[in-house]
Amino acid sequence: MIKTVNDLTDFDPIFIRYDIKIAPKKRAASDVSTDPALQAIAKGVVEGDEDMVAEASKAAIASKGPQTVIDTLILGMAEVSKLWDDGVYYLPQVILSSDALMVGLNMAEEALGSAVVKKGTVVMHCAHGDIHDIGKNVAAALIRANGYKVIDLGSDVPEETVVKAAKDNKADLVTGTALMTTTMSAFHRVAEGLTKEGINIPVVASGGAVSEEWVTSWDRGVYATFAKQGPEMAGDAASGMSWEDMRAKWNLVL
Amino acid sequence: MPKYTSMAYGSWEEMIFGTAKHPVSIGFGPVELGKKHVHPQIVPHPRPGSEATKEKILKEYQRMTEDALSHCAALGFPSIVIEFEHIYQMTSQPEWAAAIFAQAKAQMKGYYEKYGLKSALISTVADLRKPDMVNMRKCQEIDWMLATFDSTAANGADVLSIETMGGKEVFDYAIQRNDMKGIIFGIGVLSSIDMAWLWPQIVTIAKKHGITPGGDTDCARGNTAMFMAGGYTATDVPHTVAALARGCSAARSLVAYESGATGPTKDCAYEDPIIKAITGVPITMEGVASACAHAELQSNLVAAVVDLWSNEAVEYHDMFGGSSVEVFTEILGYNVAQMNAAIELGYAKELQAINVASDKYRDVHGFMLSPDNSYEIGKAIVANVDSYYLRAKAAVLKTAELISADKKMLLSDFEKDALAKARADVEALPDNEGDFIDMCLSEYSKVPGFDPTSYGF
């Protein structure tokens, strides 16, 4: 009879469960308002409960005004970001919170009679010939939830469509994702198209087969490793940071 | 279409790498899969820019193929399987794919005649149908795909395989929200239905050309979940939810073999140990040599019952040891040399035990794919033959039960909570497929682009 895994009791010589060893402590979400009516909105966002957000927003829009509701929604989402940063929340909880945030935001904007002024505009797409878009969708949700206007062009998008969308929407940033090495070539052509149109903005590229080495080999290219970086990168571009400065901040070019 | 109702093996202990209940012979030699020998499989990918012209892409594939074959000859490897996972430009242009396959086959023939190097060529057509953008059954993309299956089968492919995309629109929505109902609907129901529609057509093309219908993988869904779950430090998708999704993947990928596919299975189908337990077909797995494409937490364990050992995909470029194709052919060749030495020495069970001990308790994904647990999940699947939904649900619940019951399978508090919630959510689902589908068609009408007619609803 040979020995098997059932004969082992100590696995440390083989692997160490760092996820158990350094597991973050559970913590409750912090309140963002002492006003129960507003805290109910924030709680709905933190818990990703669309119904709670809708009910609380409806009441608060009438009693406090839509702008106060919008401010509270944003504070709630900021608490969600903290919980994610602390390892207490995982992505699905952030996405559900983002869904709930959008419910309240749409109600408040309708009451306000106009859309909230956005921090900037980001045109997002998945490369021509590529249909692997879950990373783009996650990044879009995070960027949108952080107060930016997202023009999501979807998947398998021709280069000229991306350039036109950037021009028509006065975009601060274009992003592209791809899983295949032979579809990501399109990002370079998008960057060239922007240059031809005189649109001087960065092109952030990311995805399974996309490499920093390749993205930084052409003008305007800035490489992103994770969807989570999206909101800060959008902020950099919206604040007027050049693609060269963004590349210096986010990438290592030898 | 008949469903599997029993297991191919009497117990998990009968399962071992290199041997399958139903061996398959392919290509020059032939390469015999599942007959007491593990073969290496290299999957090369062209560099960005090489797709610009037909001339360039042919040159790229010529060089990659030559590197694989010449390295086998240089290092004394008895056999090599080469898989071309189509790039967009191949599947959308069947004449490009035909030329690439004919060229590679001629190179392989040359090495077989000169050295006796056994080899086979797999054509994995790209599923270009994006469920939220096209009707899965009536679109230009499906015409391209079927034409390219045919053109590559006529020009040297020994095996036809694919990574189908059905149900991905609902799955993607669900996995971002820890929504087990949507995960089961996307993988267990929609993807299964799409496969049951497409796979008989693939089998017909393979039979027409006298070649082998290989297999399918839940890459677009199960691997998305697994890769989003990531390593110990990632916080994107709970590992337990990804493992439960993998249970669904097994129920779903079975449809290929119920449609006439015989294996070798697709390398990135991590559900394949369960598939082997049920069907007895030879399976392809990717483990430690797929580090060129992605990280995983079960790289040794997945060799436990493998028949064809792959590297997933490596982009062609230079490394210190030669081209990346040469380097990874070498890694794979020595990996299988060790496995085959174990078989020849009578140490196969010992090596299997070592590989399982390496990873079974490293993470829940390896845990559920260990041969013993794969077998148990397989039994849950074949015990539920009434519908695709019920067998997927059974696979999920069995996976959850196994994880919960084994005290050595440590879980963080977060993972314990995620597993408990997922299990409760699944236990609350309806007992029959009709009710479940009605519920899901209503709920997921909110998923942008979801078109029930793509699945015959």
Side-chain angles (χ1 to χ4, degrees):
Chain A
M1 184 70 78
I2 61 171
K3 283 191 172 182
T4 71
V5 67
N6 296 331
D7 298 302
L8 295 175
T9 53
D10 177 14
F11 290 95
D12 279 4
I14 303 172
F15 55 81
I16 295 176
R17 291 291 304 273
Y18 293 113
D19 57 330
I20 305 288
K21 204 173 173 182
I22 52 117
K25 287 191 173 65
K26 283 185 184 177
R27 75 164 173 88
S30 303
D31 288 353
V32 304
S33 175
T34 53
D35 184 326
L38 297 180
Q39 179 54 31
I41 297 172
K43 188 168 187 284
V45 171
V46 168
E47 295 182 3
D49 187 330
E50 294 183 21
D51 293 339
M52 191 190 301
V53 168
E55 191 179 332
S57 295
K58 186 179 176 186
I61 286 168
S63 62
K64 313 279 182 186
Q67 189 57 52
T68 303
V69 169
I70 290 166
D71 294 343
T72 308
L73 289 164
I74 292 168
L75 287 172
M77 199 65 209
E79 176 61 15
V80 170
S81 295
K82 279 185 207 162
L83 289 164
W84 194 21
D85 287 343
D86 292 348
V88 179
Y89 268 18
Y90 273 37
L91 177 69
Q93 290 154 303
V94 180
I95 296 294
L96 289 169
S97 292
S98 167
D99 290 348
L101 168 87
M102 296 312 293
V103 168
L105 198 58
N106 290 338
M107 291 172 67
E109 286 184 338
E110 193 178 326
L112 206 58
S114 64
V116 175
V117 175
K118 299 293 191 288
K119 296 179 185 172
T121 301
V122 182
V123 168
M124 306 183 75
H125 79 293
C126 196
H128 187 34
D130 208 315
I131 56 177
H132 304 86
D133 66 354
I134 191 167
K136 184 260 295 169
N137 294 341
V138 170
L142 299 178
I143 292 170
R144 198 178 281 124
N146 277 272
Y148 298 88
K149 182 179 181 183
V150 171
I151 310 292
D152 186 348
L153 300 176
S155 302
D156 188 15
V157 186
E159 293 87 311
E160 56 272 23
T161 304
V162 183
V163 174
K164 184 173 185 308
K167 185 179 181 184
D168 292 349
N169 293 283
K170 297 185 172 55
D172 299 296
L173 177 69
V174 164
T175 78
T177 54
L179 186 70
M180 316 289 286
T181 56
T182 48
T183 54
M184 69 183 188
S185 304
F187 300 146
H188 184 194
R189 294 190 288 277
V190 167
E192 288 179 336
L194 292 171
T195 301
K196 279 182 193 162
E197 290 288 338
I199 304 169
N200 190 26
I201 59 173
V203 176
V204 169
S206 188
V210 181
S211 69
E212 182 179 68
E213 183 183 5
W214 183 77
V215 173
T216 55
S217 70
W218 38 269
D219 286 355
R220 301 192 184 287
V222 181
Y223 176 71
T225 312
F226 304 112
K228 200 174 184 176
Q229 296 169 329
E232 189 177 342
M233 288 183 139
D236 289 346
S239 70
M241 190 182 278
S242 67
W243 64 263
E244 293 94 335
D245 287 344
M246 278 188 68
R247 182 183 287 179
K249 174 181 174 181
W250 292 97
N251 301 152
L252 175 62
V253 183
L254 300 176
Chain B
M1 183 180 302
K3 294 185 176 73
Y4 282 96
T5 58
S6 60
M7 304 295 282
Y9 297 87
S11 71
W12 76 264
E13 286 93 343
E14 293 177 17
M15 296 168 64
I16 190 70
F17 56 86
T19 298
K21 266 278 163 67
H22 304 296
V24 171
S25 296
I26 52 175
F28 295 115
V31 177
E32 295 182 309
L33 300 166
K35 292 185 85 170
K36 294 190 176 176
H37 192 91
V38 181
H39 299 269
Q41 171 177 300
I42 183 80
V43 189
H45 264 253
R47 289 168 291 182
S50 62
E51 80 286 355
T53 67
K54 184 178 177 184
E55 185 183 36
K56 275 191 184 179
I57 199 73
L58 270 168
K59 184 73 173 171
E60 186 86 338
Y61 273 94
Q62 190 274 334
R63 287 175 57 174
M64 294 192 297
T65 304
E66 185 64 23
D67 284 1
L69 296 170
S70 64
H71 220 58
C72 287
L75 299 178
F77 299 155
S79 63
I80 185 76
V81 173
I82 300 177
E83 179 190 7
F84 291 159
E85 286 185 331
H86 293 210
I87 61 172
Y88 171 83
Q89 291 80 2
M90 286 165 72
T91 294
S92 62
Q93 299 172 98
E95 69 281 8
W96 280 34
I100 289 166
F101 274 78
Q103 173 183 264
K105 192 68 172 186
Q107 291 172 272
M108 295 164 95
K109 183 170 186 281
Y111 273 83
Y112 179 62
E113 289 173 350
K114 185 171 182 180
Y115 296 98
L117 175 63
K118 297 177 182 179
S119 64
L121 186 57
I122 297 178
S123 172
T124 299
V125 165
D127 189 347
L128 300 176
R129 303 169 302 158
K130 188 157 192 300
D132 58 348
M133 293 174 69
V134 301
N135 186 291
M136 299 290 277
R137 299 181 179 189
K138 292 177 188 168
C139 58
Q140 182 183 47
E141 286 78 3
I142 190 66
D143 296 338
W144 287 341
M145 289 157 58
L146 294 173
T148 305
F149 272 123
D150 195 68
S151 77
T152 52
N155 285 278
D158 299 300
V159 178
L160 299 181
S161 288
I162 192 167
E163 306 180 1
T164 50
M165 294 288 285
K168 186 162 170 62
E169 73 285 45
V170 172
F171 169 81
D172 278 1
Y173 177 88
I175 193 67
Q176 293 176 59
R177 292 165 176 80
N178 273 354
D179 172 8
M180 284 309 303
K181 177 171 52 189
I183 290 170
I184 291 176
F185 186 53
I187 300 176
V189 177
L190 298 180
S191 189
S192 295
I193 289 172
D194 180 55
M195 287 178 67
W197 176 80
L198 178 60
W199 261 97
Q201 301 177 68
I202 300 171
V203 172
T204 299
I205 294 170
K207 283 183 177 170
K208 182 177 108 179
H209 293 281
I211 64 170
T212 301
D216 203 321
T217 162
D218 198 36
C219 186
R221 294 146 299 263
N223 290 1
T224 296
M226 185 175 79
F227 297 142
M228 286 181 78
Y232 290 154
T233 53
T235 55
D236 283 345
V237 166
H239 289 216
T240 45
V241 170
L244 300 188
R246 182 68 65 192
C248 266
S249 304
R252 165 263 180 211
S253 291
L254 202 55
V255 176
Y257 312 99
E258 290 168 336
S259 303
T262 63
T265 61
K266 188 72 185 69
D267 59 350
C268 58
Y270 282 78
E271 60 273 18
D272 277 348
I274 305 168
I275 296 293
K276 183 169 183 174
I278 296 171
T279 66
V281 304
I283 64 168
T284 315
M285 296 298 295
E286 59 190 41
V288 63
S290 66
C292 52
H294 56 73
E296 60 181 87
L297 286 161
Q298 62 278 336
S299 287
N300 290 327
L301 179 138
V302 288
V305 296
V306 70
D307 301 293
L308 182 56
W309 186 236
S310 173
N311 70 308
E312 158 74 296
V314 65
E315 186 182 316
Y316 192 50
H317 58 80
D318 291 331
M319 303 179 81
F320 281 166
S323 78
S324 56
V325 172
E326 291 174 308
V327 167
F328 280 85
T329 297
E330 182 169 338
I331 292 169
L332 292 162
Y334 276 107
N335 279 168
V336 301
Q338 188 178 51
M339 294 185 220
N340 291 323
I343 291 170
E344 296 303 318
L345 291 169
Y347 297 154
K349 273 293 174 188
E350 283 82 351
L351 182 56
Q352 183 185 57
I354 290 167
N355 282 328
V356 170
S358 165
D359 303 334
K360 181 174 179 183
Y361 294 108
R362 191 183 292 270
D363 180 65
V364 286
H365 231 95
F367 174 79
M368 67 168 295
L369 296 176
S370 66
D372 52 347
N373 289 331
S374 292
Y375 193 83
E376 290 303 312
I377 296 166
K379 283 203 300 186
I381 290 171
V382 300
N384 286 273
V385 295
D386 287 349
S387 68
Y388 292 141
Y389 160 63
L390 284 177
R391 73 183 187 184
K393 181 183 172 188
V396 169
L397 289 175
K398 176 55 74 174
T399 304
E401 177 193 322
L402 291 166
I403 293 170
S404 302
D406 194 323
K407 301 290 180 246
K408 285 185 183 173
M409 187 63 256
L410 302 180
L411 300 177
S412 67
D413 288 344
F414 178 88
E415 292 289 353
K416 282 179 194 166
D417 290 348
L419 178 62
K421 181 181 183 308
R423 191 172 181 179
D425 287 350
V426 176
E427 283 170 343
L429 293 176
D431 291 330
N432 74 74
E433 188 175 61
D435 290 347
F436 179 72
I437 289 175
D438 287 346
M439 181 171 73
C440 289
L441 287 177
S442 169
E443 177 156 352
Y444 297 112
S445 60
K446 67 187 172 189
V447 174
F450 172 46
D451 176 7
T453 68
S454 278
Y455 306 96
F457 293 124

